[in-house]
Amino acid sequence: MDLLANVIVTTSIYALVAVGLTTIYGVLRVLHIAHAGVYAIGGFAALLAYRSSGGFWLSLLAAMLASAVAGLAIYYGLYRPLLDSPRSVPLLASIGAFIAIEALLQRPFLLGPSPESLPAESGIPAPRLGELAFTSIQATIILLTVLAVVGVYLLIRRTRLGLAWRAITQDRLMAASSGVNLDTAIAANFLIGSALAGAAAMLWAVYTNTVQAIAGGVISYKAFVIVVLGGLGSVPGAALASLVLATVEVLATRYIGTLLPRDAIAFLVLIAVLMLRPEGLIGRRSA
Amino acid sequence: MRGSARLLTILAAALLVVAGCGGGATPAPTSPPAKATEASKPAAASPAAGSPVASPAAAASPAAKPDASPATASPVASPAAAAPPAAKPATGEPITVGFFSPTTGPMAADGLNARNGAELAADRVNLSGGVNGRPLRLAIYDDAGDPAQAANLARRLVQEDRALAVVSGAYSPPTTAAAPIFQQASIPLLSAYAVSPRITAAGEFVFRAGPAAAIEGAAAAIFTKENLPNSPKRVSIVAADLDPTIQLAEAFKAQAPKEGLEVVSEDKFALQENDFRPLLGRVRSANSDVVYSPAFFANAANILTQAKELGITTPFVFASSADSYKVFELARDNAAEGAYLVTDYDRSNRPVVQAFIADFKARFGNDPDIVAAGSYDAVLATAEAMRRASSLEGRAIREAIAQLKNLEDLVTGPVEEVSAERDFVRALALQVGRNGQWTSFATVPWSRITR
Amino acid sequence: MQPLLKVESLTRDFGGNRAVDDATFRVSEGEVVGLIGPNGAGKTTLFNCVSGHLRPTAGTVRFADVDVTRLPAHARARRGIGRTFQVVRPFRSLTVRQQVEVGAGVAAYRSFLTSLAPRPRRNRRVDAVLGDLGLADVADRLVDTLPLGLQRQVEIARAEALEPRLLLLDEPGAGLTNPELAELSRHVRALRGRGRTVLLIEHAMDFAMSTCDRIIVLVEGRVIADDTPKRVQSDEQVIAAYLGVEDPVGPLSEPAR
């Protein structure tokens, strides 16, 4: 039963990071590698806020805010000037930005190279559903993720902004000639996706009691696997792929153990799914 | 559209494979290793400039108070076997000793501490007369935890810096990559704490100050059998999936039958893993009496916290790779209390250790750990060998290192001699987490380990 | 009639290539104007400069007496310049209705906060446009599951849903069969009947000649003729440069350079 809780929590964190990433891919057609840096910045902001206030929710807010600002800065400073260049150019810029952010955060006057501890308490009581017991932080993570993913889904399905995103995903020029302001729509996407990454960074940092300058790397490459698995740009796909990856990872670690390191599993799942369903899990591309 | 989407998918996959290799290690900077300039000046040669990070003691420099006795000027100069009693600041032409550690990348925390330890040692050497009057100059490089970068910087140390000897404050893979280059150039290399047997296998110019994996892993098995309560029998191994920690696990397994221990489960995890809950569930179902975990300090803190959360009460024995005060900082709910640690860093009340800790803390703001202590000692031992060497030629220094004996005042504990395998012969310690720090618990002599 | 669109000395360079060279023309309220010219003559570039997808290198675009040369595409769309695209690029995510909703400005918003407001469940304008173009039956199908002719209709419906004062149609007839072309021609004339101003790029000459009030001929980026279809057809310069002597009304292939 610990395992089930573990699967759900891992799914949640993956989904938070991947949902932002997949919508950003949708509107911009850029593999946003620097999302990993945005994630790391969120963790750093949470740490600073926690140290000065001790509050869980304030730290969460700080993480989301800092990540949102970082995401916007990357969009305006990096991708927007490169919108019309070949897709490999923003990709390279993104990789560069990620490395730069990580290196910068490692400087001692910022986060420094050492992992730091973040023992915040959300105050949400630890629930127990029959056999299934959750710790307080597990419950918090699951609750916030459900809110976030449903929120994003509704945003896309029901709001003007969501329609604008889908129109941009379809055809950027067409969207613009229908009165969609590309700039603000894409910026809003970065704002929301980055804030989710910041939330994920804070929550995972509390769950593992570790804030690290290099925290973004592993989780982000898994998020990329998830985005590809779920079908590039698809939010429900990303959520489902998060569940698949988390389940396979946790169960394999628990029952197969040492055969291969946990992080390699992501790639095996990716390869397996791409071989069977090249469009991703929820690709509904009708030829 | 469709074609380009597929192309992107493939590109993404390729990229991820690249990013994922090496257990998700961060991309290592590919720029040539940067030399840390602030440390390459000998402290005594330009004492007033005495770099911004210098401790107050070091800043009260010999130039400002030329007649101040080092003993009052600073605990740095507290009498040590490695320093001759006639303590006059060194002048004259500097002697270059190379040093490298991973100050960027995933190992950067350890790399910085190692570098700080080395710098502290160099300053201490220089405040107490240097090497026969000549100041020691450290040529410092960053290996980023990357063997290729280590090989590069090794060539630079040989060709450009003309280092007379080199100290490695790096982990096994980079040190292993650099060792043959120094061997070929006949420049002695002293590895501070890396455990891999392949390091000293490079040849007669390569030495190891800390314990080899075979020694430390065996010592862990001995401690587990002889010193842990309730004389455990069944052992689970949970190791970080990296060369040195895997070597430690192998050594433990090799020694276990001799001690009457049974290894009932064995697992690996990626270096950057921080959710150990699934793995701990697996360990719990193995029903072992004790867990041996060669892991890094952040891993150790997570393992302890999450084991406590899951209600696992099996004692954990960690390896020197987890030797850091950070374990206590990072573990929640005092989860590190009662955890065990096998190390060679002697945390006793010996004055030389207390002085080192005080001085390190004053200058760098945090407690030293095994990588700092090991690098500090390796620099001191190298300086001592150079003092004793018949000349400052590579072979002479090599001979002097091989003949080092009874280094009583190294902070990682006294070294009896240097073995034929070019390992420093010393006792190993078992320590236990108590009141938020590692505390001495038991020691095992070298002779018992190699019996 | 008031000139609705005034293009003055418009020039656009791509690197060393001058795609549009000092083009000047006007389109008055209620006119249907055809822009013709061989492939590579700069028609689509000129369109893009008018719709705001490209900035001209020099010259001005005035729309309804306002200089819009520096305005981005979405701002011009909101002022009443609608356009279609030559290549239909349906993606998998939108239905016909949603596509037309985008065109009706549902996706356009004034600020981040208003963008988060729920979009209306039903939009009367969208329903009307879907009905006008015979798309009501396929309203909930994904665009890429429709035949090309219908996809074109969807594209026009999207542009029309904006209720633009000026509608730019980029090769609306390309790839259509003759009956489909006749249907299109009827539809464009109906637009004019409703007072819509239309500027269209066309390759199918008989379609352009029969549909438009006026024809502008663009060759190598320059306007070489601007007159009624009849006079353009007999313009010697046009015939020499572009139409070809023998087949003045046939479909065109490569430009004669």
Side-chain angles (χ1 to χ4, degrees):
Chain A
M1 279 303 116
D2 293 340
L3 278 184
L4 187 54
N6 209 262
V7 167
I8 301 175
V9 168
T10 310
T11 302
S12 300
I13 298 295
Y14 288 175
L16 281 178
V17 181
V19 161
L21 209 54
T22 203
T23 54
I24 287 171
Y25 179 82
V27 296
L28 212 55
R29 291 278 179 275
V30 169
L31 279 182
H32 179 34
I33 305 284
H35 207 51
V38 169
Y39 179 96
I41 286 172
F44 177 50
L47 183 70
L48 290 185
Y50 178 74
R51 282 184 177 164
S52 60
S53 76
F56 178 94
W57 298 101
L58 203 69
S59 309
L60 182 67
L61 197 69
M64 295 177 72
L65 215 63
S67 288
V69 169
L72 282 181
I74 288 171
Y75 169 62
Y76 280 110
L78 212 60
Y79 296 142
R80 190 158 159 253
L82 300 174
L83 267 185
D84 296 320
S85 25
R87 295 296 78 185
S88 57
V89 176
L91 179 66
L92 290 177
S94 188
I95 295 171
F98 166 50
I99 294 173
I101 291 172
E102 207 168 65
L104 202 64
L105 278 180
Q106 280 202 337
R107 305 310 303 164
F109 56 88
L110 291 174
L111 183 50
S114 283
E116 301 293 337
S117 130
L118 186 62
E121 303 281 353
S122 71
I124 286 181
R128 168 176 279 282
L129 310 165
E131 280 288 284
L132 187 58
F134 294 96
T135 61
S136 165
I137 180 66
Q138 284 176 331
T140 312
I141 290 172
I142 295 165
L143 196 72
L144 289 175
T145 304
V146 169
L147 282 179
V149 172
V150 170
V152 169
Y153 186 77
L154 287 180
L155 189 71
I156 289 175
R157 290 276 142 190
R158 298 257 184 275
T159 69
R160 288 166 177 271
L161 180 62
L163 187 62
W165 284 352
R166 285 195 286 160
I168 294 170
T169 300
Q170 173 164 334
D171 187 331
R172 189 187 296 152
L173 297 180
M174 184 206 88
S177 67
S178 303
V180 174
N181 187 335
L182 293 182
D183 233 12
T184 60
I186 297 175
N189 197 320
F190 268 80
L191 181 87
I192 292 167
S194 303
L196 292 184
M202 153 79 183
L203 295 171
W204 191 250
V206 174
Y207 187 56
T208 60
N209 198 32
T210 311
V211 178
Q212 248 178 314
I214 54 173
V218 173
I219 191 127
S220 297
Y221 85 66
K222 286 186 187 167
F224 278 110
V225 170
I226 288 164
V227 165
V228 174
L229 282 182
L232 292 159
S234 161
V235 170
L240 179 66
S242 299
L243 178 65
V244 169
L245 184 61
T247 308
V248 174
E249 263 187 31
V250 169
L251 293 187
T253 309
R254 173 67 180 78
Y255 293 109
I256 306 175
T258 204
L259 205 57
L260 36 102
R262 175 171 173 173
D263 295 335
I265 294 168
F267 299 107
L268 285 189
V269 173
L270 177 70
I271 291 164
V273 172
L274 284 185
M275 279 167 66
L276 299 172
R277 285 187 64 90
E279 320 80 41
L281 290 172
I282 311 197
R284 54 162 184 179
R285 205 184 273 264
S286 40
Chain B
M1 208 66 242
R2 191 183 177 135
S4 75
R6 178 158 305 180
L7 188 74
L8 266 170
T9 306
I10 292 165
L11 181 67
L15 204 88
L16 297 174
V17 169
V18 171
C21 287
T26 39
T30 46
S31 55
K35 199 189 289 187
T37 47
E38 83 270 20
S40 46
K41 277 185 189 165
S46 59
S51 70
V53 286
S55 69
S61 59
K65 286 196 226 167
D67 54 348
S69 102
T72 57
S74 160
V76 171
S78 60
K88 266 239 159 185
T91 52
E93 200 199 333
I95 293 171
T96 300
V97 170
F99 180 83
F100 61 97
S101 66
T103 50
T104 60
M107 297 300 197
D110 283 343
L112 280 176
N113 278 324
R115 189 181 87 187
N116 289 344
E119 285 178 21
L120 197 62
D123 288 355
R124 172 171 146 177
V125 167
N126 290 333
L127 280 172
S128 49
V131 174
N132 303 331
R134 290 170 64 182
L136 200 69
R137 171 190 167 274
L138 284 183
I140 295 179
Y141 285 91
D142 170 23
D143 65 69
D146 176 11
Q149 193 155 326
N152 253 332
L153 69 86
R155 285 186 202 102
R156 286 179 60 159
L157 277 170
V158 170
Q159 288 159 11
E160 290 171 31
D161 296 286
R162 310 235 162 241
L164 298 178
V166 177
V167 170
S168 160
Y171 276 97
S172 294
T175 311
T176 307
I181 293 163
F182 297 119
Q183 169 67 30
Q184 201 167 14
S186 299
I187 295 172
L189 170 69
L190 179 55
S191 168
Y193 60 84
V195 296
S196 170
R198 294 208 298 271
I199 295 170
T200 44
E204 54 175 351
F205 279 85
V206 184
F207 295 85
R208 182 202 320 273
I215 298 291
E216 195 196 315
I222 294 168
F223 282 132
T224 301
K225 186 62 190 176
E226 294 187 349
N227 300 98
L228 258 52
N230 309 325
S231 51
K233 289 196 177 53
R234 297 163 57 83
V235 186
S236 286
I237 295 179
V238 178
D241 193 5
L242 219 70
D243 181 57
T245 41
I246 295 299
Q247 303 261 13
L248 287 166
E250 292 302 324
F252 187 100
K253 267 163 62 188
Q255 183 77 13
K258 298 180 204 160
E259 307 300 329
L261 295 168
E262 186 193 354
V263 175
V264 293
S265 79
E266 205 190 335
D267 286 292
K268 287 184 265 186
F269 58 84
L271 168 65
Q272 292 190 42
E273 184 60 79
N274 45 27
D275 180 16
F276 292 92
R277 293 167 182 93
L279 194 55
L280 287 169
R282 186 173 166 77
V283 166
R284 174 159 58 189
S285 57
N287 230 333
S288 43
D289 305 326
V290 62
V291 181
Y292 177 57
S293 182
F296 295 87
F297 66 80
N299 309 141
N302 279 324
I303 287 173
L304 290 167
T305 303
Q306 291 164 22
K308 188 164 184 180
E309 181 187 309
L310 295 173
I312 294 172
T313 52
T314 320
F316 283 83
V317 178
F318 293 99
S320 61
S321 47
D323 181 341
S324 170
Y325 66 98
K326 277 286 216 178
V327 173
F328 297 93
E329 246 183 61
L330 293 172
R332 286 185 75 161
D333 307 324
N334 301 320
E337 294 293 302
Y340 295 94
L341 175 76
V342 177
T343 182
D344 55 316
Y345 176 22
D346 174 33
R347 290 180 167 85
S348 67
N349 290 324
R350 290 188 304 144
V352 63
V353 178
Q354 296 307 316
F356 165 69
I357 294 174
D359 212 53
F360 192 94
K361 253 183 125 159
R363 177 153 164 190
F364 303 111
N366 59 276
D367 270 319
D369 47 20
I370 182 67
V371 294
S375 301
Y376 179 84
D377 281 354
V379 171
L380 289 189
T382 303
E384 181 60 17
M386 288 171 117
R387 282 190 196 106
R388 295 182 187 183
S390 55
S391 78
L392 286 180
E393 187 264 331
R395 185 155 297 275
I397 300 173
R398 190 221 97 85
E399 295 309 324
I401 296 176
Q403 278 156 30
L404 284 175
K405 268 194 179 52
N406 299 325
L407 300 178
E408 289 299 326
D409 282 356
L410 293 187
V411 297
T412 55
V415 167
E416 296 157 32
E417 57 179 351
V418 178
S419 76
E421 292 79 33
R422 296 180 299 283
D423 287 336
F424 282 23
V425 172
R426 50 161 35 136
L428 260 66
L430 179 69
Q431 296 171 1
V432 65
R434 209 164 269 162
N435 301 322
Q437 50 190 345
W438 296 116
T439 343
S440 297
F441 191 75
T443 57
V444 59
W446 182 273
S447 54
R448 165 73 178 88
I449 306 170
T450 53
R451 187 167 69 195
Chain C
M1 277 193 284
Q2 280 295 319
L4 182 63
L5 176 72
K6 278 199 231 176
V7 173
E8 310 255 5
S9 309
L10 192 126
T11 297
R12 169 70 201 202
D13 296 335
F14 290 108
N17 282 340
R18 179 149 292 188
V20 177
D21 187 2
D22 197 28
T24 298
F25 64 90
R26 288 161 191 227
V27 177
S28 297
E29 194 105 50
E31 264 190 310
V32 174
V33 177
L35 183 62
I36 67 170
N39 280 329
K43 303 185 298 288
T44 297
T45 302
L46 184 56
F47 247 48
N48 283 336
C49 288
V50 173
S51 68
H53 291 94
L54 280 177
R55 291 278 167 84
T57 309
T60 57
V61 178
R62 293 180 71 83
F63 179 72
D65 277 336
V66 179
D67 185 348
V68 297
T69 317
R70 300 274 145 220
L71 289 184
H74 70 90
R76 296 192 204 188
R78 290 180 190 184
R79 282 174 180 274
I81 302 182
R83 74 167 288 182
T84 65
F85 290 87
Q86 180 182 349
V87 184
V88 181
R89 290 180 263 205
F91 207 64
R92 60 197 174 103
S93 62
L94 291 193
T95 64
V96 170
R97 173 182 300 281
Q98 287 165 347
Q99 178 121 334
V100 176
E101 276 179 340
V102 173
V106 172
Y109 49 84
R110 297 288 156 191
S111 73
F112 180 60
L113 282 181
T114 53
S115 77
L116 298 177
R119 63 191 164 88
R121 282 272 158 150
R122 206 84 191 170
N123 185 309
R124 223 176 293 148
R125 201 201 300 173
V126 171
D127 285 336
V129 171
L130 286 173
D132 281 353
L133 282 146
L135 294 168
D137 293 342
V138 293
D140 293 319
R141 285 180 57 185
L142 294 174
V143 178
D144 63 349
T145 61
L146 301 177
L148 181 68
L150 275 181
Q151 291 191 6
R152 274 278 154 64
Q153 297 279 77
V154 174
E155 177 65 359
I156 294 173
R158 181 190 59 72
E160 227 178 286
L162 190 67
E163 295 190 338
R165 292 179 68 185
L166 172 65
L167 186 55
L168 306 171
L169 302 177
D170 193 349
E171 295 206 28
L176 297 191
T177 59
N178 278 338
E180 283 174 334
L181 275 177
E183 171 72 26
L184 182 67
S185 180
R186 257 199 310 283
H187 184 68
V188 172
R189 281 197 299 269
L191 284 177
R192 181 177 48 182
R194 292 205 295 272
R196 192 81 82 230
T197 310
V198 178
L199 176 62
L200 62 86
I201 295 178
E202 198 41 75
H203 256 166
M205 293 307 297
D206 44 358
F207 173 79
M209 296 299 170
S210 62
T211 311
C212 301
D213 303 322
R214 187 153 60 87
I215 300 283
I216 297 169
V217 183
L218 205 63
V219 173
E220 291 179 8
R222 285 187 305 275
V223 175
I224 63 162
D226 180 353
D227 218 322
T228 61
K230 207 170 186 66
R231 278 193 233 145
V232 163
Q233 266 174 299
S234 54
D235 186 311
E236 278 177 22
Q237 213 184 341
V238 174
I239 293 168
Y242 170 48
L243 292 178
V245 184
E246 292 120 43
D247 188 11
V249 291
L252 290 149
S253 49
E254 281 304 298
R257 289 205 177 204

